[in-house]
Every structure is written in C-alpha cells, then in structure tokens.
Amino acid sequence: MASPTPAPSSPTLQEELALAIRHEHTALNQLLSNRLPLCLPPHTSDPFIYAQGLCVVRHLYTGFEYAWETLLSQPPSDDSSIPTPSYLHTLRTPNLSRHLRQSRDVHDLSQQLGPHRTIQLEKLIGATIHFHKSTFTLNLQHPHLILAYAWTLYLAIFNGGRFIRAELEKAGPGFWGGSPDKRDWPLEFFNFAGKEDGNDVEREFKRRFDIAGEELSRQEKDDVVAEAKRIFGVFEAVVRELDRRVVDGEGFGGVVLGGRMALRRVLQSPSVVVGGVLGWVCRGWWMVVGPCLGRRRKISGGRGALGHEVQGEEKA
Ligand code: HEM
C-alpha cells in the first residue's frame, strides 16, 4: 500500500509576510535607493540631510518600541486591566531595539553640525511628530501589530540597512566627524553589538518571531500581514514628507541644492540608475560584500539627542 502523502504544512507568519510585502518592498527600495545619493558627497559636504532623514524615520521606530516598552512595563494584571500578551515577552530580542542607538546618532550628528542646525533638526522632529504619535497609539491599542512593525522595520535594517550603511560609509571620515575609526561615526542605527554584525541577532529574532506568531489567532495574523503592507505606505509617506520639507526646503533650511532640480538631477544620473538596479539585486551583492564589513564598536553612555539620557546597550 502506498504511504500516505504528508499534509502540506501551512506557511509560517514570516512566510506569509515575506510573500505579502514583495511588491511594496520593491517600490520603496527603489524610492530610497534613488534618494540615498542626495545625502552624500558630491551632492552635499556634511551629514545634515542624512540627519534630517534619520530624525523622521526614527519616529516609526520610537513609535512602536515605546509602545512595546509601555506594554511590557505594565504592572501584573489585576481584574481591571488586560494582561500583557506573552508574545510581546517572547519576541523581545537582546541587542535589537533601535531607539537608543538612533538617539546617540542624532546626538552625535547635532554635535557635529552645530547649534543652528540642531535647532532646525528639533523643528523638523516637532513638525513630523505625528508619525511617532500615530504609530505609538496604534501599537498600544493593538499589541499584536507590534509583530508587524518589528518584523518589517528590523528586517529592513538586516537587509537594506546594510546596503545603506555601506553606501554611507563611503563618504569617509571627514564627512562623519573626523575620526578614522568607523566605530565613532554616527551610524550606530545600522550596527549591532557582538562579533557577527547582527547575524546572530537576526537569527534569534526570527526564531522568537516564529514562536510569537504561533500565539496569534488567525484574525490577528491577518491583521499583522495587512499592517506590514501598510507600513510600506507609511514609510513612503515619510520619504514624501522629507522630499517636501528637506529637498524642497519648506522652512527647515532645506537642502540648498536647488530643491526639486537636485532631486531630478540625482534621479536621472547614471549612478542612480545603476544604484537602483543594484538595490534590486543587492541581496546577492550583499552576500558577497557583507562578510567583509563586520565591525563593531564599544557602546558608550552619554547624553542622547536633544536631551535624552542615553544608557549602554539595552537588555532583553
Ligand atoms: C535602499 C533601500 C532598501 C534596500 C536596498 C533593501 C534591500 C533588501 C533586500 C536585498 C532584501 C532581501 C530580499 C530577499 O530576501 O529576497 C530585503 C528584505 C527586506 N526588506 Fe528591504 N531594502 C530596502 C529598504 C527597506 C525598507 C525601507 C523596509 C521597510 C519599511 C524594508 C523591509 C524589508 C523587509 C521586511 C525584508 C524581509 C523580506 C523577506 O524576508 O522576504 N526594506 N531588503
């Protein structure tokens, strides 16, 4: 008698997510790859444009990471409160959280750029705070959506983030504050503690995600997939707002580059066309180049950007 065919196993939540975001990812990848040269020489001689981008993108990370922290720090439930879902504990991965590292970067960038530009950064942060607020409120009210934000925004760093970091590093020490040691440059957002350039953190996060995902109902999984797709739209809104405020220079000391003209010039330049194509195929590219870029830095304490106290590496 023929042995029975094993029943096909249903896809994991990560597999569902990877399939669902493919189209959105390609579009956003191209949008970002096209704009990356604007942050760098020869288009600019200091990291002010990059700092502005970081300040706005940061809102998305702080939005969900602060909501996550808030939910985890709830006192043990009494009858009147809903207990913190256990998957939020499960998913918490050592050395993954980004907000302190972003804070350190903004602090170091503002030191380098000086008081006038620090004020401009503060204004930009204030003018775009709605990205933080809406993300924070949504995640606080719907804790299962934290899985969508964590998966999308952390995997963005493990994949595209490495490509972006390699491009940014090419600007050299003079651009990033003068130190010959890359570990002193304000690019901690893209770095991970440890010797594996975050590969161990990524593995551990994905392992935990699989366990956490199993704790969700079918409806919650569907919500996570839908939200992950939507996050790409939110990220695109961040890019569009940066185009308007930074490239066009609407009252924030925008990039004195000739605004739209500069963007158009950059978008039409052969290097960007090549860069766009590179972005599309950069998984293979990264597999070759990535291992050469392993580097870490000491984690020091200090005063974070725009007044926040910054501690050492966060713990799970
Ligand atoms: C310059 C910009 C970017 C580049 C070059 C880039 C590149 C990549 C590459 C090469 C991969 C691996 C694809 C694969 O496994 O088949 C990837 C995966 C991923 N990226 Fe990006 N990315 C960029 C921006 C972003 C952004 C802004 C987000 C989030 C908003 C994002 C979210 C993700 C996610 C969630 C994955 C995992 C997909 C999966 O595992 O199948 N990426 N990215």
Side-chain angles (χ1 to χ4, degrees):
M1 203 169 97
S3 56
T5 325
S9 57
S10 50
T12 65
L13 182 52
Q14 298 202 60
E15 287 165 346
E16 287 184 44
L17 283 162
L19 193 67
I21 57 121
R22 274 200 311 208
H23 175 71
E24 285 77 2
H25 180 266
T26 305
L28 184 60
N29 176 347
Q30 196 179 20
L31 210 64
L32 286 174
S33 301
N34 287 346
R35 282 157 180 75
L36 195 53
L38 274 181
C39 304
L40 295 167
H43 293 284
T44 180
S45 57
D46 67 41
F48 184 46
I49 303 169
Y50 171 75
Q52 291 174 92
L54 175 65
C55 284
V56 184
V57 167
R58 182 167 184 266
H59 286 322
L60 302 182
Y61 286 85
T62 56
F64 88 92
E65 287 188 348
Y66 290 2
W68 195 352
E69 294 285 331
T70 305
L71 289 161
L72 288 177
S73 61
Q74 272 184 175
S77 65
D78 53 39
D79 289 345
S80 60
S81 68
I82 302 164
T84 305
S86 61
Y87 54 75
L88 291 186
H89 291 281
T90 308
L91 192 59
R92 208 164 181 229
T93 308
N95 298 325
L96 185 52
S97 153
R98 295 290 96 187
H99 63 268
L100 290 179
R101 285 173 171 272
Q102 293 169 331
S103 220
R104 280 193 289 268
D105 286 348
V106 179
H107 168 258
D108 292 353
L109 286 161
S110 67
Q111 295 276 81
Q112 182 185 339
L113 292 164
H116 176 64
R117 283 175 155 184
T118 297
I119 291 169
Q120 289 177 312
L121 289 178
E122 281 172 344
K123 279 190 194 166
L124 179 64
I125 290 169
T128 53
I129 195 74
H130 58 95
F131 286 115
H132 168 87
K133 286 184 182 164
S134 55
T135 309
F136 178 79
T137 310
L138 183 72
N139 282 281
L140 201 62
Q141 289 173 350
H142 306 281
H144 62 291
L145 297 185
I146 286 174
L147 270 74
Y149 283 82
W151 189 84
T152 307
L153 295 180
Y154 292 143
L155 292 201
I157 304 166
F158 291 125
N159 293 284
R162 285 168 172 163
F163 163 76
I164 293 171
R165 184 184 66 188
E167 290 299 301
L168 294 173
E169 285 180 346
K170 286 181 194 160
F175 188 84
W176 295 112
S179 169
D181 188 346
K182 280 182 188 176
R183 291 174 300 178
D184 295 332
W185 299 358
L187 298 173
E188 282 302 296
F189 171 34
F190 300 104
N191 290 337
F192 292 88
K195 292 189 179 136
E196 288 190 46
D197 195 22
N199 288 329
D200 50 343
V201 182
E202 180 178 8
R203 274 194 307 275
E204 179 62 11
F205 171 69
K206 287 180 165 173
R207 187 187 72 78
R208 287 168 179 263
F209 193 98
D210 280 337
I211 301 168
E214 284 311 302
E215 292 178 36
L216 301 191
S217 67
R218 185 63 256 172
Q219 180 58 56
E220 286 172 331
K221 287 182 186 176
D222 291 345
D223 292 349
V224 168
V225 172
E227 187 62 19
K229 283 166 81 83
R230 201 187 68 88
I231 291 168
F232 283 85
V234 176
F235 213 111
E236 184 174 337
V238 165
V239 176
R240 301 287 178 206
E241 189 141 349
L242 282 165
D243 280 353
R244 193 164 60 78
R245 292 184 185 278
V246 176
V247 180
D248 287 347
E250 281 187 12
F252 293 90
V255 182
V256 194
L257 268 174
R260 282 268 152 221
M261 283 304 290
L263 182 57
R264 205 170 300 134
R265 213 168 48 236
V266 167
L267 295 183
Q268 285 167 353
S269 81
S271 67
V272 164
V273 175
V274 173
V277 173
L278 188 68
W280 288 50
V281 295
C282 90
R283 181 180 174 75
W285 174 86
W286 174 254
M287 284 167 73
V288 177
V289 176
C292 308
L293 290 168
R295 61 184 180 75
R296 287 288 65 88
R297 77 179 277 191
K298 65 199 177 292
I299 304 298
S300 59
R303 182 156 292 282
L306 316 170
H308 304 300
E309 195 65 46
V310 175
Q311 304 299 325
E313 191 65 59
E314 52 280 11
K315 295 197 177 55

